Amino acid sequence: MTVEEIQDQVEERLMASNRKDVARKYIIYRNERNKIRKSKTYAVFNSIVNTESNDVTKENANMNAETPAGMMMKFASETTKAYTDDELISNEAREAVDNNYIHIHDKDYYPTKSLTCLQHPLDRILNNGFRAGHGSSRPAKRIETASIIGCISMETVQNEMHGGQAIPAFDYYLAPYVRKTYIEEVEKLIEFTGIDYTYLFDEEIEDYVKRPLKTLTGKDRVKQQAINKTVSRVHQSMEAFIHNMNTIHSRGGNQVVFSSINYGTDTSAEGRCIIREILNSTYDGVGNGETPIFPIQIWKLKKGLSAEKGDKNYDLLELACKVTARRFFPNFINLDTPFNINNLWNEKDPERYKYECATMGCRTRVFENRHGEKSSIGRGNLSFTTINIVKLALECMEIENYEKKICKFYEKLDKYTDVAVRQLYDRYCFQRTALKSQFPLLMAGLWNDSDKLDKNDKVEDVLKQGTLGIGFIGLAECLIALTGKHHGESEKSQKLGIEIITHLRDRVRVWADEYDLNYSVLATPAEGLSGRFTKKDKKDFGIIEHITDKEYYTNSNHVPVWYHCTIKHKAEVESPYHELTLGGHIFYVELDGDATHNPEAVMQVVKIIRDNNIGYGSINHLRNRCLDCGWESAIRDLKQCLECGSENIDTIERITGYLVGAINSWNNAKLAELNDRVCHN
């Protein structure tokens, strides 16, 4: 029985009794209690209405909570969170959340049964067309259409999910439309001249690069003219793709799509054309030359293809480093590290991309699979929950005997790992009850095996393809509580840190076997959570140096942002955790100075990523842009443009793996972390 049902019966019995005075007082009492319960919700609603700057309105830096659509999203979000607490999660999970031991991510979307993210098998709708509820699209025939469909695919599915969208093989998927566009350009020349050039349709093309026509004659001139036109159209299509992903809004119109694209290993002339022009378009920027926030771009590093001198795409890797030095992207995924290798991958296989690991821009990784092919394509994360390992350590701090302290910590870690696993399983069972019709495009063949379902079938059987993530936050603070030092400054702490996350990984594997589901450990991309855990722990434990004396906990297994060290040292410390966190991880470095003039530094970081078996990495730096004249710089704390004197300055930095157009949209905890960040040398 619910609280309301019990109260109804009490009220009815009192009203039927002789004690009407008691009944009246009970009704008054009940109304007052209802007001108290609602007061917190109303206070939150008022902060949304008044567009106050707080942790509610700035929970997600990519969402504008001041727009009407953004307000509606926040109203709905805060309401459904309460409903989830009262109706959908178990008592043990609710208690663990209330006591700050775990955090259920995207709890506001829990009642919708939506999933987190998807690696889009874009070829399925490019080749077959699609229908997403209203209207339909025919298969693509040219590069412009293919580019638009790629945008529509991610935008539409974003409305059916609560996480991000990615394309795992952007270069491979779009490459065929480069050749089709080239053929179309040759056909135009045939129509214009009346000469039969059809033999050029299948002509071998070494590379799609623009060249002057002056010195060319005959067949060579015609072929090069078609290539030049094709390159222009590909560039415009990539430019349109980037512009669309930065302007098309989803989820009720309050935010752009959390989008990512993976590329770099297609060595065909057509694939190289796609790669080159997406990079060139990114370098040029959007609008008046601003840095594009989305899509997050990820370069696939693969020995023999795209990682070392002599590789076919090494010249494009050099271009990628140049673009990263100015625009933050692409990031870099290391396909040669052992945990990112699929033994079915074969360089001679034209569809080798199916066996290449891809990632979501912020860090989510989906690759291993108990119920199908080991691949990232057509799969995603179902949901994830994070454990506050800092609190577990704080509760053990006063134990003087070190062995007993660590033993007690593991006991607590096991307890709340089990709670998180069971909570995720409950959510999975709830998600399984959704009908295919609730996800018009996602379950129309984009999610693996969903094309086998009828409209009114439940999605239960195909969800096994997805992953369930157990995250953690604040390893650095956890180790300080247990040993006095974090893993970046102490070998003893590093040893314990690896043991802790290995223990967590092993515990999760036991449950994965028990439930036969794709559970994995995730290095949580904490944004709003980084301050939420800390705020509550500070009340319970007071201010403790290097633990609760800040507004945030360090993101996952990172070395603290305030700790001075070299790039090499940071890589050596953090790399062992990547093979333990197969649900997702990221390594980042903070470069000093104006990176635009130093793409070589980016290439050096890429080498460090490969040398240390890091799975996924990114390079941070600072970029200021004057919104009045377009002048750019890397001067910290810039208040006024040195070119025109304007104070209308836009500063871009990376938050948890993605960029945000203006740092004033960050929440207080992440702003505090930003202010503490030091550069690595």
Side-chain angles (χ1 to χ4, degrees):
M1 296 180 70
T2 66
V3 171
E4 291 298 319
E5 288 171 338
I6 294 170
Q7 290 179 340
D8 286 342
Q9 291 206 15
V10 172
E11 192 173 309
E12 288 172 8
R13 291 302 181 95
L14 287 172
M15 289 296 291
S17 74
N18 295 327
R19 297 301 304 270
K20 298 295 189 293
D21 58 330
V22 178
R24 282 193 296 273
K25 290 195 174 185
Y26 181 79
I27 291 169
I28 293 170
Y29 160 80
R30 184 180 180 184
N31 288 337
E32 288 300 317
R33 292 300 304 165
N34 285 337
K35 288 180 182 178
I36 292 171
R37 279 196 295 270
K38 291 178 180 178
S39 63
K40 183 178 179 182
T41 301
Y42 286 167
V44 171
F45 282 2
N46 284 332
S47 72
I48 297 170
V49 170
N50 297 323
T51 63
E52 296 174 8
S53 178
N54 54 41
D55 289 344
V56 172
T57 58
K58 291 192 173 183
E59 184 177 26
N60 182 336
N62 188 41
M63 188 176 96
N64 185 353
E66 296 183 1
T67 65
M71 284 183 173
M72 283 301 298
M73 180 67 79
K74 293 308 296 181
F75 284 137
S77 174
E78 296 307 312
T79 303
T80 53
K81 285 177 184 177
Y83 174 79
T84 300
D85 285 340
D86 291 341
E87 302 292 334
L88 298 178
I89 65 175
S90 68
N91 289 333
E92 73 165 2
R94 175 73 181 270
E95 184 180 352
V97 170
D98 290 345
N99 290 314
N100 214 35
Y101 290 110
I102 69 170
H103 175 77
I104 300 172
H105 291 267
D106 303 296
K107 191 167 61 173
D108 47 347
Y109 276 87
Y110 200 128
T112 70
K113 304 179 185 178
S114 70
L115 317 181
T116 303
C117 57
L118 175 70
Q119 289 281 358
H120 287 238
L122 192 59
D123 55 337
R124 296 178 192 173
I125 58 176
L126 289 176
N127 295 334
N128 304 317
F130 68 93
R131 184 177 183 84
H134 302 284
S136 60
S137 171
R138 295 187 297 272
K141 293 182 179 179
R142 53 182 62 87
I143 190 60
E144 293 88 349
T145 309
S147 166
I148 291 169
I149 289 177
C151 295
I152 293 172
S153 175
M154 289 200 283
E155 181 206 11
T156 303
V157 176
Q158 179 81 100
N159 288 319
E160 300 177 17
M161 307 184 82
H162 56 256
Q165 309 301 318
I167 297 176
F170 187 75
D171 42 359
Y172 288 94
Y173 290 147
L174 295 186
Y177 301 94
V178 176
R179 175 62 73 159
K180 289 180 180 182
T181 302
Y182 162 77
I183 291 173
E184 193 174 59
E185 289 300 327
V186 174
E187 288 173 338
K188 289 179 183 178
L189 291 171
I190 293 172
E191 184 179 0
F192 180 73
T193 64
I195 301 173
D196 183 7
Y197 292 122
T198 55
Y199 63 89
L200 290 176
F201 289 174
D202 299 320
E203 184 83 359
E204 182 179 349
I205 297 175
E206 184 178 341
D207 213 350
Y208 287 80
V209 177
K210 279 188 175 183
R211 293 189 175 91
L213 301 177
K214 290 181 181 179
T215 60
L216 302 176
T217 59
K219 180 189 86 169
D220 292 339
R221 184 183 180 90
V222 173
K223 178 181 174 183
Q224 188 60 52
Q225 184 169 345
I227 289 174
N228 289 353
K229 291 287 187 180
T230 299
V231 172
S232 293
R233 288 176 60 183
V234 172
H235 182 84
Q236 289 176 339
S237 297
M238 296 302 98
E239 189 176 65
F241 181 85
I242 294 171
H243 277 72
N244 282 334
M245 298 318 301
N246 284 274
T247 54
I248 294 177
H249 285 71
S250 64
R251 291 180 181 160
N254 68 299
Q255 63 185 118
V256 293
V257 182
F258 276 80
S259 56
S260 307
I261 57 175
N262 295 256
Y263 59 78
T265 57
D266 188 344
T267 56
S268 70
E270 290 76 17
R272 284 172 53 79
C273 183
I274 293 293
I275 296 168
R276 183 183 294 112
E277 298 313 320
I278 194 72
L279 287 170
N280 285 335
S281 297
T282 304
Y283 188 83
D284 292 342
V286 295
N288 295 316
E290 299 98 345
T291 294
I293 304 303
F294 290 106
I296 300 170
Q297 299 178 36
I298 302 114
W299 180 272
K300 294 180 175 180
L301 294 163
K302 183 67 178 174
K303 183 178 180 180
L305 300 178
S306 59
E308 299 178 343
K309 284 186 178 180
D311 291 350
K312 181 70 179 291
N313 284 356
Y314 185 76
D315 61 323
L316 297 179
L317 172 60
E318 291 180 310
L319 176 58
C321 291
K322 176 184 175 182
V323 176
T324 296
R326 185 181 189 191
R327 301 298 187 188
F328 297 86
F329 298 137
N331 298 341
F332 301 90
I333 182 172
N334 181 10
L335 299 185
D336 293 318
T337 196
F339 50 84
N340 281 343
I341 292 175
N342 187 328
N343 291 330
L344 294 178
W345 188 90
N346 187 327
E347 186 175 347
K348 296 180 180 179
D349 182 358
E351 295 186 333
R352 61 184 179 236
Y353 63 88
K354 292 181 177 179
Y355 309 108
E356 294 175 356
C357 184
T359 188
M360 292 283 168
C362 65
R363 73 191 63 196
T364 306
R365 177 185 179 276
V366 177
F367 199 38
E368 293 75 21
N369 190 4
R370 288 169 168 264
H371 299 284
E373 197 167 63
K374 181 180 180 179
S375 176
S376 298
I377 298 172
R379 303 173 59 219
N381 178 257
L382 304 178
S383 53
F384 64 99
T385 295
T386 291
I387 304 170
N388 182 0
I389 62 173
V390 184
K391 178 168 185 177
L392 306 184
L394 287 171
E395 290 182 333
C396 301
M397 273 188 75
E398 300 305 318
I399 301 175
E400 294 184 5
N401 182 280
Y402 180 76
E403 286 73 21
K404 289 182 179 180
K405 179 192 298 184
I406 302 304
C407 183
K408 188 65 176 178
F409 172 81
Y410 281 130
E411 181 183 314
K412 289 176 176 290
L413 180 60
D414 287 348
K415 176 182 177 179
Y416 288 103
T417 300
D418 296 353
V419 171
V421 167
R422 286 191 289 266
Q423 179 272 313
L424 281 172
Y425 183 72
D426 289 344
R427 187 171 187 173
Y428 164 76
C429 291
F430 182 64
Q431 290 169 316
R432 281 165 55 94
T433 64
L435 301 179
K436 174 178 178 173
S437 58
Q438 292 178 248
F439 309 102
L441 184 54
L442 174 64
M443 293 299 170
L446 290 184
W447 188 274
N448 285 347
D449 295 335
S450 61
D451 55 327
K452 300 174 184 176
L453 300 174
D454 291 331
K455 180 180 179 181
N456 293 319
D457 284 347
K458 292 180 179 178
V459 298
E460 51 188 4
D461 290 334
V462 303
L463 288 199
K464 292 186 293 186
Q465 301 275 351
T467 64
L468 297 162
I470 301 292
F472 65 94
I473 188 172
L475 179 65
E477 287 80 9
C478 169
L479 292 171
I480 293 171
L482 295 175
T483 70
K485 294 184 178 181
H486 61 74
H487 51 322
E489 60 184 344
S490 163
E491 290 186 10
K492 176 184 177 182
S493 296
Q494 169 71 338
K495 183 175 181 292
L496 178 60
I498 294 172
E499 288 175 356
I500 289 172
I501 305 306
T502 300
H503 183 92
L504 177 61
R505 189 273 314 270
D506 292 344
R507 187 79 173 186
V508 168
R509 279 182 174 176
V510 170
W511 280 108
D513 291 337
E514 174 75 17
Y515 287 130
D516 194 25
L517 292 171
N518 293 311
Y519 279 98
S520 57
V521 175
L522 170 74
T524 294
E527 186 177 338
L529 180 58
S530 66
R532 191 175 300 123
F533 273 162
T534 314
K535 188 175 182 180
K536 289 185 178 181
D537 286 347
K538 191 177 294 187
K539 287 183 179 179
D540 292 341
F541 299 96
I543 296 176
I544 303 172
E545 187 178 14
H546 296 319
I547 302 176
T548 60
D549 58 345
K550 307 177 297 299
E551 292 188 53
Y552 61 91
Y553 285 151
T554 300
N555 207 324
S556 60
N557 52 249
H558 292 318
V559 171
V561 297
W562 45 264
Y563 182 68
H564 289 270
C565 66
T566 65
I567 296 173
K568 183 174 182 293
H569 178 69
K570 191 173 192 294
E572 289 171 347
V573 171
E574 294 184 13
S575 63
Y577 298 96
H578 282 210
E579 65 177 318
L580 301 173
T581 53
L582 297 185
H585 44 245
I586 192 170
F587 164 78
Y588 82 91
V589 297
E590 200 83 32
L591 293 184
D592 198 5
D594 192 343
T596 303
H597 305 297
N598 196 9
E600 294 82 8
V602 176
M603 185 67 84
Q604 289 171 8
V605 175
V606 170
K607 186 176 185 305
I608 288 173
I609 288 172
R610 296 190 67 239
D611 289 346
N612 288 276
N613 276 327
I614 287 171
Y616 178 50
S618 66
I619 291 91
N620 291 353
H621 49 87
L622 179 68
R623 204 81 205 138
N624 299 307
R625 179 178 176 81
C626 175
L627 296 180
D628 290 333
C629 74
W631 178 77
E632 293 187 353
S633 82
I635 301 172
R636 293 201 174 271
D637 301 319
L638 183 69
K639 304 298 182 185
Q640 189 176 45
C641 175
L642 301 186
E643 190 74 19
C644 72
S646 170
E647 295 182 357
N648 194 11
I649 304 296
D650 180 33
T651 300
I652 291 181
E653 292 236 29
R654 195 185 308 267
I655 185 164
T656 62
Y658 65 91
L659 299 180
V660 178
I663 60 174
N664 60 10
S665 62
W666 293 25
N667 61 57
N668 290 334
K670 294 308 288 187
L671 282 173
E673 182 209 281
L674 175 64
N675 291 331
D676 287 347
R677 290 181 185 178
V678 297
C679 294
H680 306 109
N681 50 38

